[in-house]
Amino acid sequence: MAAATANTILPTPSSLTSSFKSSIPISKSILPFSTAPRKLTTSRSLTISSSLSQSSSNTRSAAATVTPTTAPSHDFISRYAPDEPRKGADILVEALEREGVKDVFAYPGGASMEIHQALTRSKIIRNVLPRHEQGGIFAAEGYARSSGLPGVCIATSGPGATNLVSGLADAMLDSIPLVAITGQVPRRMIGTDAFQETPIVEVTRSITKHNYLVLDVDDIPRIVSEAFFLATSGRPGPVLIDVPKDIQQQLAVPKWDQPIRLSGYLSRLPKPPGEAHLEQIVRLVSESKKPVLYVGGGCLNSSEELKRFVELTGIPVASTLMGLGTFPSPDELSLQMLGMHGTVYANYAVDKSDLLLAFGVRFDDRVTGKLEAFASRAKIVHIDIDSAEIGKNKQPHVSVCSDVKLALKGVNRILESKGAELKLDYSAWRQELNEQKLKYPLNYKTFGEAIPPQYAIQVLDELTNGNAIISTGVGQHQMWAAQFYKYRKPRQWLTSGGLGAMGFGLPAAVGAAVANPGAVVVDIDGDGSFIMNVQELATVRVENLPIKILLLNNQHLGMVVQWEDRFYKANRAHTYLGDPSNESEIFPNMLKFAEACGIPAARVTRKENLRAAIQKMLDTPGPYLLDVIVPHQEHVLPMIPSGGAFKDVITEGDGRTQY
């Protein structure tokens, strides 16, 4: 990234900061259901004037003049008089209100009690009480992923704060806008190994986009404003604010008009793409015979522009795990997912292509496999909002560091103006790929009367018309949900991609249901992942969230079992999750967990009964758990082994075969 400008205002001692990181931009887009999102209250004015030489080859070095300030919203009415002193905790809560926050996921403790007391005085913010801090931050992620708005979670100091670590790392890797607030021991006790003290700023430095330790109550308005701006701008990510208890208790009169101090960061934000680069991309498209789009989570906010680009060019689209839904899966130009468990035809297209259009992606190892063999015949165009991702794993021939939405708008404008003179015709290439689709469709074997897990997801897709919001845990069920549910819109698909955090599915569904009242939200989960945050069933019941849980229960840690079958001669190394002394019984009995929380539940074991069971789950008002017993021998296919290339793809076999 371009270096910070010479007049950068250094952070005051009141904010300890981590290095800025960033990749895939994620923000709000239209869903096929009512999202009922909160209306963001404007709490800062941001004036940006950009001087950009269109002929310059380096768009990132262009100068920009930025004058940001925090300012009270004209339509925000405080419950306090302007000069009335109030506690730091009340200032913090009002700062959240001014950012447009309507929902938080907060679990109280000794060092955050003051914040919770202040929340009870708010008439705007609703707290959805998780039953574990990890459940809280995963719910905040589900909220952000499904709405595009920043998720907010709050925890106490010490173990409460450290329980947020997996969620922060997950949001960092998947570029999710998140603001996490933690209580901290009083300032005088910091560094004394006080009860429930952890240096959470230091612990989370490398897994947050930025973090703060508040040492002055007067800094709270500015810090909260900066945190939301950082979390949602550029490449989104998590920001942590650590607030000592004595700061929360201190009385002060807030100043809502403080300027935000981010001149170095602002100078490094990407500028609009240069026209010369966009013309170059169009020229490469016109010269290409076998182009393919490789789109990721960075396109979630650019779905309409992407669809227009495909309409203008006729180029087929392969999606990453994070990019599912950016282009409709049922479309004839969709190749669905590429990568380790992607379709044969998506990986074939990338392997044979002469032009790879990589938009909003980071060339992750689960996509590329062996880097030297990935798209080895192709010229590569890489557009990403984070300059650190360009050339990190794979060197592009043309790169544009910009918001994908702006770049696609520019490219589409050029394509529309040139129109018929380009004479784009990829019909022979599309026919070649259609032959691959017919030759290697996604399929699965049957196991007598047993239920194939892929079939369960297919039936769910049919019965919901592909319009449900789907969350998942991590493992085989996650890959099958990616392959066999046909996503039609962005933000329908909520999964832990980069980190692969088991236990993500249920709390993420909680966040999605809070952000999207009235939507059908289904947690497709595995028994291993589900039990990791099973306590969130209590939150589901108490909040009466209409979440449906489709539990694909094979009594094993399925993905690890698959690797054991393939690469370790089926030697079971602690991957059986049932009761070894009674393998004929389903253990644990998931229906009892649901019963304990007053949630209706049923179990289905035979394929012939599955459709009616799923229909009943969808028709039952409120939450419902359906325990679907599936065979543990099934494997996720296709599969390109880790570090392999397209030529190494596996399309046959399961746990009944010896390797």
Side-chain angles (χ1 to χ4, degrees):
M1 286 189 175
T5 53
N7 64 344
T8 299
I9 301 170
L10 292 173
T12 64
S14 63
S15 61
L16 297 179
T17 62
S18 70
S19 59
F20 293 105
K21 298 198 172 181
S22 343
S23 134
I24 305 175
I26 299 182
S27 48
K28 189 181 172 187
S29 50
I30 297 165
L31 286 156
F33 31 72
S34 165
T35 60
R38 65 172 181 258
K39 189 175 180 184
L40 280 175
T41 309
T42 307
S43 57
R44 69 183 71 80
S45 60
L46 180 62
T47 312
I48 301 181
S49 64
S50 172
S51 64
L52 180 66
S53 168
Q54 296 292 3
S55 61
S56 167
S57 62
N58 184 2
T59 60
R60 278 165 274 162
S61 64
T65 309
V66 188
T67 319
T69 61
T70 63
S73 166
H74 295 297
D75 56 0
F76 185 85
I77 301 170
S78 174
R79 60 182 177 277
Y80 295 96
D83 56 352
E84 182 183 352
R86 77 289 310 252
K87 286 185 173 182
D90 288 294
I91 297 171
L92 177 66
V93 168
E94 183 169 325
L96 295 177
E97 292 172 347
R98 287 169 178 266
E99 291 295 329
V101 175
K102 293 286 191 293
D103 303 284
V104 298
F105 303 87
Y107 196 87
S112 64
M113 282 178 64
E114 290 285 354
I115 299 171
H116 282 262
Q117 290 295 314
L119 283 170
T120 66
R121 294 188 280 274
S122 172
K123 299 289 189 285
I124 296 172
I125 297 176
R126 163 200 186 189
N127 181 34
V128 178
L129 179 68
R131 285 348 190 231
H132 190 290
E133 290 91 353
Q134 187 183 87
I137 193 165
F138 282 163
E141 275 200 86
Y143 188 100
R145 289 172 188 258
S146 64
S147 69
L149 301 168
V152 180
C153 61
I154 304 173
T156 191
S157 64
T162 56
N163 278 340
L164 300 180
V165 165
S166 292
L168 292 169
D170 190 57
M172 189 70 187
L173 280 166
D174 288 352
S175 306
I176 307 303
L178 205 68
V179 175
I181 298 167
T182 50
Q184 182 55 279
V185 299
R187 284 173 295 179
R188 67 183 180 279
M189 296 169 71
I190 291 175
T192 67
D193 295 333
F195 177 66
Q196 290 193 333
E197 181 196 357
T198 52
I200 198 63
V201 161
E202 301 305 320
V203 169
T204 63
R205 190 177 295 283
S206 60
I207 53 168
T208 51
K209 187 175 176 183
H210 201 59
N211 57 24
Y212 296 91
L213 173 61
V214 182
L215 294 176
D216 186 337
V217 69
D218 292 332
D219 287 337
I220 290 175
R222 174 183 59 80
I223 285 173
V224 171
S225 190
E226 286 181 10
F228 277 84
F229 180 70
L230 289 166
T232 55
S233 60
R235 177 182 184 172
V239 178
L240 180 132
I241 305 173
D242 197 27
V243 191
K245 188 166 183 177
D246 59 325
I247 294 280
Q248 298 171 36
Q249 294 170 326
Q250 188 176 340
L251 292 173
V253 176
K255 296 183 180 68
W256 299 111
D257 57 351
Q258 299 177 51
I260 65 176
R261 301 176 179 178
L262 297 171
S263 55
Y265 172 77
L266 287 160
S267 72
R268 296 194 299 270
L269 285 175
K271 312 303 181 288
E275 197 74 14
H277 277 124
L278 303 183
E279 293 273 6
Q280 199 175 358
I281 292 168
V282 172
R283 181 176 59 78
L284 287 173
V285 167
S286 67
E287 292 170 356
S288 168
K289 296 285 186 285
K290 296 183 174 184
V292 66
L293 276 154
Y294 155 36
V295 301
C299 294
L300 282 173
N301 194 36
S302 318
S303 180
E304 293 306 314
E305 290 79 8
L306 176 65
K307 284 189 278 190
R308 180 62 181 149
F309 178 80
V310 174
E311 189 183 313
L312 290 166
T313 61
I315 296 174
V317 184
S319 171
T320 68
L321 183 74
M322 289 294 298
L324 289 172
T326 53
F327 188 77
S329 296
D331 192 285
E332 63 179 2
L333 286 175
S334 172
L335 301 171
Q336 296 180 254
M337 189 170 71
L338 82 165
M340 177 179 279
H341 292 297
T343 61
V344 170
Y345 39 90
N347 289 320
Y348 174 93
V350 171
D351 189 60
K352 303 297 183 193
S353 68
D354 61 6
L355 177 65
L356 184 69
L357 300 167
F359 295 170
V361 294
R362 58 188 181 89
F363 291 88
D364 176 73
D365 62 287
R366 281 295 197 259
V367 165
T368 64
K370 187 178 181 182
L371 267 170
E372 311 83 71
F374 182 75
S376 57
R377 301 169 174 83
K379 290 178 179 173
I380 296 173
V381 174
H382 192 183
I383 304 176
D384 199 275
I385 203 162
D386 182 9
S387 62
E389 293 297 345
I390 293 172
K392 184 178 85 173
N393 294 330
K394 192 85 176 171
Q395 198 61 45
H397 297 78
V398 176
S399 65
V400 177
C401 181
S402 166
D403 186 336
V404 177
K405 192 181 187 80
L406 293 177
L408 276 172
K409 278 183 175 176
V411 170
N412 290 346
R413 187 183 64 250
I414 295 167
L415 287 168
E416 285 163 350
S417 66
K418 297 202 170 181
E421 70 182 78
L422 290 172
K423 295 186 173 64
L424 301 179
D425 180 14
Y426 304 120
S427 53
W429 172 230
R430 289 196 297 269
Q431 181 58 36
E432 184 180 336
L433 296 180
N434 285 338
E435 287 167 12
Q436 290 295 310
K437 284 185 178 183
L438 291 171
K439 192 174 178 183
Y440 298 105
L442 282 175
N443 56 22
Y444 51 87
K445 294 189 178 69
T446 55
F447 290 76
E449 288 299 312
I451 300 168
Q454 304 94 322
Y455 174 68
I457 294 165
Q458 274 186 335
V459 172
L460 179 71
D461 178 52
E462 290 170 27
L463 295 179
T464 57
N465 297 314
N467 284 329
I469 299 178
I470 303 294
S471 70
T472 73
V474 169
Q476 287 182 314
H477 71 275
Q478 175 192 29
M479 294 298 104
W480 287 320
Q483 292 175 336
F484 287 91
Y485 198 92
K486 304 304 179 213
Y487 302 93
R488 288 158 170 78
K489 297 281 182 181
R491 307 201 176 283
Q492 276 185 268
W493 166 246
L494 320 175
T495 199
S496 173
L499 190 67
M502 291 175 67
F504 180 82
L506 182 58
V510 168
V514 170
N516 303 278
V520 178
V521 180
V522 182
D523 170 27
I524 299 176
D525 227 326
D527 49 315
S529 281
F530 178 68
I531 208 166
M532 284 200 175
N533 272 314
V534 71
Q535 76 283 340
E536 298 310 318
L537 285 175
T539 304
V540 171
R541 175 73 281 169
V542 168
E543 299 289 339
N544 199 29
L545 300 171
I547 293 166
K548 314 301 180 185
I549 302 156
L550 187 72
L551 187 60
L552 302 179
N553 187 348
N554 65 5
Q555 296 282 280
H556 287 73
L557 204 52
M559 188 60 88
V560 185
V561 165
Q562 177 170 334
W563 282 55
E564 286 175 343
D565 287 341
R566 294 280 177 176
F567 311 119
Y568 294 90
K569 299 181 180 175
N571 180 45
R572 295 287 174 260
H574 321 118
T575 48
Y576 176 59
L577 300 178
D579 180 359
S581 66
N582 189 8
E583 292 192 14
S584 62
E585 291 293 318
I586 302 297
F587 177 88
N589 185 346
M590 300 296 184
L591 306 183
K592 296 289 187 184
F593 286 126
E595 183 187 335
C597 292
I599 292 174
R603 176 177 292 156
V604 59
T605 59
R606 295 167 67 88
K607 187 179 178 182
E608 64 188 17
N609 301 327
L610 179 69
R611 184 176 291 269
I614 292 178
Q615 189 64 63
K616 183 181 178 184
M617 174 185 80
L618 295 170
D619 291 343
T620 303
Y624 193 97
L625 185 148
L626 183 61
D627 191 19
V628 183
I629 308 304
V630 298
H632 72 272
Q633 296 94 339
E634 185 60 298
H635 286 183
V636 179
L637 296 174
M639 178 183 183
I640 297 175
S642 183
F646 174 64
K647 66 180 177 59
D648 304 313
V649 66
I650 298 167
T651 57
E652 292 295 329
D654 55 43
R656 296 174 292 191
T657 312
Q658 286 194 336
Y659 301 95

